[in-house]
Amino acid sequence: MDLQDIIRESALPFLPAKSLRRFTGVCREWKLQISTPFFAHNQSYSFRDVSGFFCQSPSGALSFVSLNQMAYGVPDPSLKFLPEPVDIRCSSNGLLCCQGRTGYRAYYICNPVTQKWKKLPQTTANHGTDPAAVLVFEPSLLNFVAEYKLVVSFASDLDGYEFEIYSSIDGSWRISAEISFGKMKLLPRTGVHVNGVVYWSSSMGRIFSFDLSCERSTIINNIGSSSLGAVNGKLHAACLLGSKLSVSELSNAYTNTMQMNSSAKQWQVKHAVTLNFSVPDLYPRSYDKETVLFLGGDVVVIQHEKKLISYNMKTKEFTEVITEEDTYSRMVPYVNSLVEI
């Protein structure tokens, strides 16, 4: 194989959608290959880096904040290709979940790159005005059409939480038999999916989990006020205290069932860094307004006053993220993928 063949076969599938759209102008052969359904399927499996965030302002306006404007982007960040105005809810590996503002407030699953979408049927239960929704999509080489689930935890009439699950395979909703009782208030915008389990933070500083394989819920001790995310296929929590950023891995979710003198630790610190933004006129030295907005892959995104700072745990580099607004009411991570719905 010559160099062009190596790039075409072994490099292109690992690139983000915006770059690939640009590379269709390199030559006719590349354009034909990138335009095939097989290539889109291969790219959706190969490329899974967080590319940016779909953001919603307090007024409801939608925008896309790219972690690299040359490489990552979508044609219409306002999502006007959808049939009605929407609120963004969650995402998973290139698929974005939104919710309509009219009628029964339907959920929409879409790919903002291809602008293809699907409207889900009406739910059985009332999910509330700010649903605790988590989209679960794991790309597979065997499935050319995305198979996904939308898991929503909602307040039960029995003073607990229940779960309603939509399956793209079945094309319908169903309510799980599991009910989680307790006084904790689930925080709806904190949900993440890691290796078959959905996690949410709670108002009492603990983590609420729901295992999709057996449909059982459990409570896990948290490490304080932190942001949850998936790193290397395991649940991690990022905590920011003053100028100290730490990322810990959930190494044992069952320490509460072990002997009192057991040396097993539930959380292990995997990464720690002291924030020291010493670049003149770019990063103020005040650390009282930082919050961790996102954790996933190799990336931690911190809000510092009116700026977003991206920290790469692998390269240990800080980057200021360019935004259109000073504040957002919601930010949803997004992978720049060609996945087909």
Side-chain angles (χ1 to χ4, degrees):
M1 296 177 66
D2 59 25
L3 180 59
Q4 183 174 339
D5 293 333
I6 294 174
I7 294 175
R8 186 178 67 248
E9 300 296 334
S10 303
L12 290 182
F14 293 88
L15 297 179
K18 181 178 179 179
S19 297
L20 291 171
R21 296 290 188 183
R22 189 166 64 248
F23 290 162
T24 57
V26 172
C27 64
R28 182 175 181 272
E29 189 176 12
W30 280 24
K31 181 178 181 179
L32 292 175
Q33 176 170 346
I34 294 173
S35 302
T36 63
F38 179 80
F39 180 86
H41 171 67
N42 194 11
Q43 189 268 354
S44 67
Y45 179 82
S46 303
F47 180 81
R48 306 195 193 186
D49 293 343
V50 173
S51 312
F53 299 86
F54 272 93
C55 303
Q56 193 156 19
S57 68
S59 65
L62 300 175
S63 61
F64 181 72
V65 174
S66 176
L67 292 178
N68 184 332
Q69 293 187 336
M70 287 294 294
Y72 309 136
V74 295
D76 180 16
S78 65
L79 305 181
K80 291 183 179 179
F81 61 87
L82 292 174
E84 63 172 311
V86 296
D87 296 313
I88 53 176
R89 295 303 182 197
C90 52
S91 71
S92 182
N93 288 316
L95 296 182
L96 181 68
C97 174
C98 307
Q99 189 175 25
R101 301 176 187 172
T102 61
Y104 67 85
R105 304 185 70 230
Y107 290 103
Y108 293 89
I109 307 297
C110 68
N111 183 345
V113 171
T114 63
Q115 299 189 354
K116 294 182 180 180
W117 54 272
K118 180 176 181 179
K119 183 179 181 179
L120 304 191
Q122 186 171 0
T123 62
T124 304
N126 179 8
H127 295 172
T129 57
D130 191 12
V134 177
L135 185 60
V136 179
F137 167 56
E138 292 296 336
S140 169
L141 284 175
L142 301 178
N143 300 324
F144 275 78
V145 178
E147 295 181 359
Y148 55 87
K149 292 181 179 180
L150 184 61
V151 183
V152 184
S153 180
F154 62 94
S156 171
D157 294 335
L158 301 175
D159 195 23
Y161 283 98
E162 295 185 65
F163 307 89
E164 189 163 15
I165 305 168
Y166 174 84
S167 169
S168 63
I169 298 177
D170 300 329
S172 60
W173 291 92
R174 66 176 179 84
I175 297 179
S176 171
E178 175 73 355
I179 302 178
S180 178
F181 297 99
K183 297 181 179 180
M184 294 188 306
K185 181 181 179 182
L186 185 147
L187 303 180
R189 303 184 186 188
T190 62
V192 297
H193 166 253
V194 185
N195 197 24
V197 182
V198 179
Y199 301 90
W200 292 271
S201 296
S202 76
S203 59
M204 299 181 66
R206 306 182 78 185
I207 297 173
F208 190 88
S209 72
F210 179 68
D211 192 319
L212 293 173
S213 61
C214 60
E215 297 194 7
R216 291 291 182 267
S217 61
T218 56
I219 305 299
I220 303 172
N221 291 324
N222 203 344
I223 56 173
S225 178
S226 59
S227 176
L228 305 179
V231 180
N232 297 325
K234 294 185 178 181
L235 180 68
H236 283 63
C239 185
L240 186 60
L241 297 175
S243 62
K244 306 291 185 181
L245 172 66
S246 63
V247 178
S248 301
E249 176 186 293
L250 179 65
S251 56
N252 189 344
Y254 306 102
T255 53
N256 58 334
T257 63
M258 302 180 69
Q259 297 179 0
M260 292 184 60
N261 296 326
S262 173
S263 60
K265 293 183 178 181
Q266 191 167 32
W267 294 90
Q268 292 185 349
V269 177
K270 293 295 183 178
H271 197 90
V273 62
T274 299
L275 304 182
N276 184 16
F277 304 128
S278 58
V279 180
D281 300 326
L282 180 60
Y283 303 117
R285 289 181 175 273
S286 172
Y287 300 102
D288 58 344
K289 297 181 179 180
E290 287 87 351
T291 55
V292 178
L293 298 180
F294 171 76
L295 166 66
D298 298 319
V299 177
V300 181
V301 177
I302 304 165
Q303 182 172 359
H304 175 74
E305 296 184 342
K306 294 184 178 181
K307 298 178 181 178
L308 297 184
I309 309 299
S310 172
Y311 175 66
N312 190 302
M313 293 183 286
K314 182 177 293 184
T315 64
K316 299 183 179 180
E317 294 178 342
F318 289 93
T319 306
E320 181 179 350
V321 181
I322 300 175
T323 61
E324 298 179 1
E325 303 280 347
D326 290 336
T327 59
Y328 294 105
S329 59
R330 183 184 290 270
M331 296 182 67
V332 174
Y334 175 70
V335 175
N336 211 196
S337 170
L338 295 173
V339 58
E340 290 287 341
I341 298 180

